[in-house]
Amino acid sequence: MATTNPRLVARLHVRALKELRLLRGRLTLEVLSAAVDQSVAYRFRDSSPNQKTISTYVESLNVADLGLAVMCDAGDDTAWEHLVLTYRPLLYRAAGVLAGADDTGRELADSLWAELYGVGHTRSSVEPGGERRSLFRYFHGRSRLSTWFHSVLAQRYIDLVRARRRTESLDVDDREEQGGHSSGRDTATVEAPDPDHARYARLFQQALQEALGSLDPRDRLRLSYYYVQSLTLAETGRLLKEHEATVSRKLARARKQIRLAIEHTMKDRHRLTPDEINLCYQYVVEDGSVDLSGALR
Amino acid sequence: MSDDRPDPVDNTRFEDALAQGLQDRPKPPSGPCPDAEVLAAFSEDSLSTPDRQEVELHLAACVSCQAHVAALIRTEGIRPEVTRPATSWWLDWRWLAPLATTSVVLLAVWAVDPASIGDSGVEMEKTAPAPLDTDAGNELRESRDAASELLEARNAVRREQENIVARGRVPSHEAAAESDTARAREEVAAPAPQARQVAGDPLPPPADTALADAPSRSAPAERRLDDLARLSSTASPLRNRASTQSAGFVITTSDETAAWRATGEGGLEHSSDRGVTWTRQLESTGSELTAGSAPSGSVCWLVGRNGTILRTTDGGASWNRIEAPLQSDIGGVTATDGQTVVVEFSDGQAFVSANGGSTWRPN
C-alpha cells in the first residue's frame, strides 16, 4: 500500500496544534504520524488505494480530535482533564436524549467512560494477552470525537434495548406456557376469529415486499426513516441531503406507488374485493405487536 | 380503493399497515454493518461520495443501522464549544466587535442629538481605530456604512416630523411620540446586519426573527422552524436539540400584537410584547407540533403529528383539543377565525371546518 506523505502529515500536525492548543508540546509529529498511518491502514484494509486517494482521506481527518484521542490513550493527564471537562457533560446529555429520563442512559455513559479509560469489562477493554486497551483505539479521526462518542453510545443503547426485548419476549412466552395472560393480539384473535385473518396478513406482506422491492433503495430508506425511525421530515432530509419539502413530496409519491402496486396485486392476482383489501390493512396493523421504532427511540 | 377515490379511513389504515410492514421487512444480506465511526461520519456528512453511497445502500436494507443513524441525528445538536484557531490578538474579533458596536452606537446617538455627547463624543470618533486592511476592518467599515444609512433615514423621518409640527397639524408631544414609534419601526425593520455580525450578537430572541416576517401559514412556519434551528445552533450548540422533538417555531398574529412559540420540548409559550418576554402556557402538548395559525390575538390554532389539533379562543388561557378528520400527521393550518380553519395533512389531503372543528369536509 502507498504510504502517507510526510509533508502532508507535517501540515496536519501544524493544523492540530492550531486547533487545540493543549496539544502543543505534547503531540509530537512522530506520534501523530503513527496515528495517521494506523487510520489509513484501517480505512483501506480491504483495498489498495493510490497516493491521491490516501491524501484525500488524510486531509479529511479530524486531526485535532485524533491527536486528543491519541494523547488520552497514552495517559496524558492534561488531555484527560480537557476531555472530561469538555465531553463528559455532553455524553450525559446525549445519553439523556437517547434513553429518556431513566437511569439507563447515565449508566451507559458511565460504562462508556470506563471503557475509554480502558478499565471497562467488555471485550474491547482487554487485549488477547490480558493487557488493558482503551476504546480510543477504535477512533481514527474520520468523524468528530463528539459524534463518535454519540455513535458508540447509540450502539450500546440499541444493543441494550435488543437484549431487553429478547428477555421480555422470553418472559411472555413463559407466562403463556403457564397459562397466564396472553398478548392482546392473541386475545383479539380468540374473541374474533376470522379464518382469513392469517391469509390476508400474509398476502399483504407479500404484496408489500414486492412493492418495496421495486422501489429505489433511497425511496425505501426515506420511508424507513419516516415510518420506522419516526424521524421528522427535516431530520430525514438532513440525512438524505434533501430539502424537507422534497422529502415530503417523494414520500407521498412512494406511498401512492406502493399502494397502487399492493392493491393491483391483491385485486388482480388474489381476486380480493376492496373491502377485503381494507381488512388486510386492518389485520396487519392488529398483528403488529412489535414496535421497533418505539423500542429503539 | 385507490388515491383517485379519497377515503380517509382506508388511507389511515394503509399508512399504519405500511409502517408495520416496513418494520417487519426481513433484512436481506448486505454485508457487515459499518462501524460506529463510519456511521458517525455519515451523520456528519463528512464521508466521501462513494463511501456515503455505500453506507446509504447498506442503510436501505438494515433497520438496525437506520436506528443507529436516527439516534445520532437526535443527538446532533449536542456539541462541545468550537475551539478557535489561535490568531494574533490585534486581529481577534472579540475586541474588534465591541469596539465596532460602541462606534456604531456613539455615531447613532451623536447623529440624533450631537449636544448630548458634546466634545467627548467627537473625541471618541476621532480616536476610532484607523481602517484595517483585514476582513474585520472591512466589516467595521460596512457596519459604519450601514449605521450611516440608518441614521440618514432616521433624520429624514425626524425632519418630516418637525415639518408636521411646524405646520401645526400634530401637537408636539404627539409628534414626539410618533417620532419614537417611527424610530422603533426603523429599528425593527432595518437593523444593521453587519453591525450584528461584527458584534457577534449571541442569539436574537426567536420572536424577533419570526416577527420580522410574520405570515401564519404552515410553509413559512416550517421555514421559520429551520431558521430558528439554525440560529440556535449558531449561537449555542449546547441548547440545540436537547430532546428528540423539533426545534420549535413561532406563530404571530397579522398585526404582531401576540405571538405563540412552540418549544422543542413540546411545550407552548406566549408573548404579548413582540417576543421580548415569553410566558409558559402549556408544559406539553403531548405531540410534536408542526404549524400554527393565529388570526387574532385571542385565537390560535396549532397542528402536529398524529392528528393533533389544538385551539384557543381566549388568548391561550385555555386550549381545546379538536378531533381531527384523520389520525395522521398534519403539516399545515390556515385559520380565518375561531370557527373557520383549513388543515393540511402531510400526505397532501386538506380538510376544512366552518364550526370550530366539530365537523370536517375535504377541501
Side-chain angles (χ1 to χ4, degrees), chain A residues 37-229:
Chain A
D37 283 345
Q38 273 183 13
S39 179
V40 170
Y42 181 76
R43 166 65 186 85
F44 299 108
R45 60 194 178 280
D46 299 325
S47 57
S48 304
N50 58 27
Q51 192 65 54
K52 191 181 171 193
T53 308
I54 291 180
S55 296
T56 307
Y57 170 75
V58 170
E59 282 277 15
S60 73
L61 291 178
N62 292 273
V63 70
D65 284 355
L66 180 60
L68 179 64
V70 167
M71 295 316 297
C72 287
D73 193 23
D76 184 284
D77 287 342
T78 309
W80 269 108
E81 190 183 355
H82 174 80
L83 190 85
V84 171
L85 287 174
T86 310
Y87 291 95
R88 194 154 72 168
L90 305 183
L91 202 56
Y92 285 143
R93 283 167 58 86
V97 169
L98 290 175
D102 70 20
D103 292 336
T104 310
R106 181 102 187 173
E107 286 165 13
L108 276 175
D110 283 335
S111 125
L112 179 59
W113 211 243
E115 285 188 65
L116 290 170
Y117 276 113
V119 295
H121 42 265
T122 62
R123 274 182 303 170
S124 64
S125 308
V126 185
E127 296 269 23
E131 185 193 340
R132 283 175 184 171
R133 75 188 297 187
S134 165
L135 201 58
F136 278 122
R137 302 228 176 145
Y138 296 93
F139 180 72
H140 299 100
R142 292 189 79 177
S143 70
R144 284 190 291 256
L145 199 53
S146 56
T147 317
W148 180 69
F149 283 151
H150 296 170
S151 190
V152 176
L153 193 67
Q155 186 60 62
R156 299 280 193 278
Y157 182 63
I158 288 168
D159 290 346
L160 181 75
V161 169
R162 280 218 190 94
R164 275 185 187 166
R165 282 186 48 231
R166 275 197 295 272
T167 314
E168 282 166 10
S169 169
L170 286 174
D171 289 347
V172 170
D173 289 347
D174 286 348
R175 280 201 302 274
E176 284 174 1
E177 276 178 15
Q178 291 161 9
H181 292 294
S182 58
S183 67
R185 164 176 52 149
D186 292 341
T187 308
T189 310
V190 171
E191 284 172 356
D194 179 347
D196 286 326
H197 184 120
R199 179 173 158 258
Y200 285 165
R202 194 181 67 247
L203 290 180
F204 173 84
Q205 276 299 346
Q206 283 173 358
L208 175 63
Q209 297 318 321
E210 281 180 30
L212 288 174
S214 68
L215 285 181
D216 179 81
R218 255 176 100 77
D219 287 337
R220 278 204 301 273
L221 186 54
R222 197 178 295 106
L223 285 167
S224 267
Y225 280 150
Y226 189 74
Y227 283 107
V228 182
Q229 307 304 333

Side-chain angles (χ1 to χ4, degrees), chain B residues 65-130:
Chain B
C65 287
Q66 286 169 17
H68 192 140
V69 170
L72 276 174
I73 205 90
R74 290 189 178 108
T75 58
E76 190 182 41
I78 304 172
R79 299 234 176 281
E81 296 287 351
V82 177
T83 310
R84 291 177 181 279
T87 51
S88 302
W89 66 270
W90 57 274
L91 283 177
D92 195 330
W93 64 270
R94 276 172 292 191
W95 76 268
L96 280 177
L99 190 62
T101 311
T102 310
S103 303
V104 169
V105 170
L106 281 173
L107 264 173
V109 175
W110 174 74
V112 171
D113 192 359
S116 69
I117 293 181
D119 292 341
S120 62
V122 176
E123 189 61 28
M124 281 296 286
E125 180 63 18
K126 281 177 185 170
T127 54

Side-chain angles (χ1 to χ4, degrees), chain B residues 161-250:
Chain B
Q161 297 293 342
E162 285 167 1
N163 290 340
I164 292 170
V165 174
R167 286 196 294 270
R169 290 179 190 171
V170 183
S172 60
H173 66 278
E174 284 182 31
E178 278 192 30
S179 175
D180 287 341
T181 310
R183 202 176 300 149
R185 277 189 192 136
E186 284 167 26
E187 282 168 357
V188 170
Q194 292 89 344
R196 189 181 282 270
Q197 273 181 7
V198 173
D201 195 335
L203 175 65
D208 273 2
T209 315
L211 288 169
D213 55 337
S216 54
R217 279 192 51 91
S218 59
E222 286 175 7
R223 278 200 294 279
R224 285 200 298 276
L225 185 152
D226 265 353
D227 292 340
L228 283 173
R230 270 196 294 279
L231 284 169
S232 303
S233 63
T234 306
S236 174
L238 302 185
R239 275 168 38 186
N240 193 23
R241 298 195 60 78
S243 73
T244 60
Q245 304 270 332
S246 60
F249 56 89
V250 175

